[in-house]
Amino acid sequence: MHSYRDGAHAPWQIAIGACLALIVGNGPVMQFTFGVLIIPLSEALGTDRGSISTALLVGLVTTGVATPWVGRLMDRHGVRRVGSFCILAFALLMAACGWLAHSVATLILLYFLAGVFAAGQTPLAYSKAITAAFDRQRGLALGVAAAGVGLGTMLMPMVAQWLLNQFGWRGAYVGLGAITALIALPAFRLMVVPRAGSGAACVSAVSAQADAAEAAALPGWSARQARSSGIFWTMAGAFFLVALAVSGTIAHIVPLLVDRGVSPQAAATAISTAGLSLLVGRIFAGWMLDRCPAPHVAILFFCLPLAGQALLLLDHGASAGLMAAVLIGLGLGAEIDLIAFMQSRYFGRRAFGEIYGYFFAIFMFASGFGPFLMGQAFRVSGSYEPFLLVSMAGLAVACLLMVMLSRRPERVASVDMA
């Protein structure tokens, strides 16, 4: 197999293609456009917003459950084949929401099916491709790819709003599906995993993994070995705590600031600022990962949202809320980079897809559970402060877990860098 793992001649079109494709990833298309569509959906289907929101919850949970299985399929049958099918199926099912959703039950079923195939349009396939092609600049490449999620988070809600204004909610779903297929499929097939001999800089290291025997010979641990290790659960615990804290705070930061007398316009600016810092955080974290020990980078980016939450507790002003959103967004922006990079260093590439799937599932569950817990804290106490205090403690524990991990050697580093 050809190798670009010295970094100097690495095929950067892989990272750029991944960035483009992830603009229409599962999060930007399925999750972050939902807020734009929820009111017209509830009016058209004659139900309340809570019932409509069940569809998104089902879709996100399904994606979390399906990601390890899709990762295992990619390990065994190749990234190109499995990823292409998942992207196309996900796009068609999102479009089908506009064609077929005539009741809440149908909408929930479509989101359930879309969630299954959305697992192939998460950062999973793109991280696997980048890990196979990069070594010394792996962190930066992962950061460039993950920046697409930040771009999509900012752009896709605006696209959905324009489609809604022009064509109604049914046309918006059809448009989102079409845009997903038209952007993600070409970027994925032509730039991320082009066929060998296509004339472009080929990632035969990725396509070669389509053969199960060769994949088993790659350096690293099996998924079973990883699951039975303390390193795996140390990482999983840290990422769960951070995702729980950050997602909960970001989801409720607008009502939190409005309750404190901040204007809705200024509070909405905090969300936009968080999205921008998410984008910057992913690239900066990737750049740092190539230069510093990964657990140390993780500690830094875990401390940033910790400082943001402390600022929310100590200062109730609009400017403090804006700065807190920046700090929290930086923490959220770094997580995807950290998961892929640290997994590749500690567990290698042998079962990258399946192991990444487990970590991403944990990330997804925490991302869904955090907003729920923060909402429940407000319902019970009338304040968001109890959640902020508990999640700050969780972030501190996550930092301690990274300190513990920094004392463990990167087990496969010596063989994975050959």
Side-chain angles (χ1 to χ4, degrees):
M1 65 178 66
H2 300 294
S3 176
Y4 298 93
R5 296 172 63 75
D6 62 350
H9 301 90
W12 280 94
Q13 82 273 6
I14 300 174
I16 295 170
C19 179
L20 290 173
L22 285 171
I23 291 174
V24 287
N26 74 305
V29 171
M30 187 166 71
Q31 181 177 1
F32 291 104
T33 63
F34 196 78
V36 174
L37 298 168
I38 188 170
I39 293 178
L41 274 172
S42 62
E43 292 174 350
L45 300 181
T47 189
D48 62 277
R49 299 176 192 179
S51 299
I52 293 293
S53 299
T54 305
L56 180 60
L57 175 62
V58 168
L60 294 178
V61 170
T62 303
T63 300
V65 173
T67 304
W69 296 98
V70 172
R72 182 183 297 179
L73 288 173
M74 288 182 177
D75 290 335
R76 294 180 177 179
H77 303 291
V79 175
R80 181 183 172 91
R81 185 186 311 173
V82 177
S84 298
F85 180 78
C86 285
I87 292 170
L88 182 59
F90 173 62
L92 288 173
L93 284 162
M94 290 305 298
C97 290
W99 298 328
L100 304 175
H102 297 289
S103 67
V104 176
T106 306
L107 183 70
I108 292 172
L109 175 61
L110 289 168
Y111 264 77
F112 169 81
L113 295 172
V116 173
F117 295 102
Q121 186 51 1
T122 66
L124 164 63
Y126 306 97
S127 297
K128 184 172 172 63
I130 288 170
T131 300
F134 287 81
D135 181 26
R136 287 189 303 168
Q137 294 178 304
R138 182 181 295 172
L140 180 58
L142 287 168
V144 170
V149 180
L151 286 170
T153 300
M154 291 187 291
L155 295 176
M156 293 312 294
M158 292 187 289
V159 171
Q161 185 65 59
W162 183 86
L163 290 169
L164 178 65
N165 293 339
Q166 298 296 317
F167 308 107
W169 68 269
R170 293 190 182 277
Y173 271 115
V174 174
L176 289 172
I179 290 170
T180 300
L182 290 173
I183 294 177
L185 268 179
F188 180 72
R189 292 179 65 85
L190 299 179
M191 300 178 71
V192 179
V193 284
R195 287 191 182 277
S198 62
C202 302
V203 194
S204 54
V206 176
S207 59
Q209 292 180 18
D211 179 71
E214 186 170 346
L218 287 171
W221 294 14
S222 69
R224 183 177 181 179
Q225 288 172 323
R227 291 196 308 267
S228 63
S229 72
I231 295 175
F232 176 91
W233 293 107
T234 298
M235 290 174 59
F239 290 126
F240 178 86
L241 291 170
V242 175
L244 190 78
V246 173
S247 65
T249 308
I250 285 294
H252 288 269
I253 195 166
V254 170
L256 182 152
L257 294 176
V258 170
D259 288 346
R260 294 177 174 184
V262 178
S263 70
Q265 293 77 16
T269 302
I271 285 289
S272 300
T273 306
L276 180 61
S277 60
L278 183 152
L279 172 64
V280 173
R282 289 186 170 179
I283 296 177
F284 184 55
W287 180 82
M288 288 191 66
L289 285 169
D290 292 326
R291 290 159 176 81
C292 307
H296 295 174
V297 178
I299 291 169
L300 170 63
F301 280 91
F302 292 174
C303 285
L304 291 174
L306 179 60
Q309 290 185 329
L311 192 59
L312 287 175
L313 284 172
L314 297 173
D315 192 327
H316 291 192
S319 58
L322 193 64
M323 179 57 65
V326 170
L327 294 170
I328 294 166
L330 286 170
L332 179 63
E335 261 200 337
I336 298 297
D337 300 11
L338 287 166
I339 290 173
F341 187 90
M342 294 178 69
Q343 177 197 329
S344 69
R345 290 304 193 215
Y346 283 96
F347 302 116
R349 296 187 292 127
R350 180 181 172 189
F352 184 93
E354 184 174 352
I355 299 171
Y356 184 93
Y358 292 131
F359 282 125
F360 194 80
I362 290 167
F363 174 83
M364 289 291 290
F365 290 145
S367 296
F369 202 39
F372 172 79
L373 282 181
M374 191 162 184
Q376 291 301 306
F378 184 84
R379 183 182 67 83
V380 172
S381 67
S383 170
Y384 288 115
E385 293 189 1
F387 178 88
L388 291 174
L389 289 169
V390 172
S391 60
M392 285 175 64
L395 287 168
V397 172
C399 289
L400 290 175
L401 290 173
M402 286 296 111
V403 171
M404 293 169 55
L405 192 63
S406 68
R407 299 172 181 173
R408 305 288 295 270
E410 295 179 358
R411 300 249 175 179
V412 297
S414 61
V415 294
D416 195 32
M417 295 170 65

